[in-house]
Amino acid sequence: MSIHQKINEILVEEFEVDEDVIHPNALLKESLDLDSLDYVDLVVIIESNFGVKLVEADFAEMVTFQDFYDVVERKIAAKD
């Protein structure tokens, strides 16, 4: 399973995000419609699933789902 697929699966299963709104160029925050606590949960779940540490600055550059995938991929590559 790719990183994209795993992230999408987490969003659908854990946050009840409609799979139809998840595509690389979709706006992340608007599509997810998560509150601040949901974002904390998302960070914890991503960190535990991928073994990476996300910080607030990472989210500043995330506009689309593709940006989100790219940040997680960079973090994984950096730890290897």
Side-chain angles (χ1 to χ4, degrees), residues 38-54:
D38 288 332
Y39 277 105
V40 171
D41 289 343
L42 177 59
V43 167
V44 170
I45 291 168
I46 293 297
E47 288 178 351
S48 67
N49 274 275
F50 295 102
V52 296
K53 184 85 176 133
L54 294 175

Side-chain angles (χ1 to χ4, degrees), residues 7-8 11-12 17-24 26 31-32 65 69:
I7 290 172
N8 292 354
L11 293 171
V12 170
V17 175
D18 184 351
E19 207 167 349
D20 294 337
V21 303
I22 304 173
H23 57 87
S31 299
L32 293 182
F65 283 93
Y69 304 146

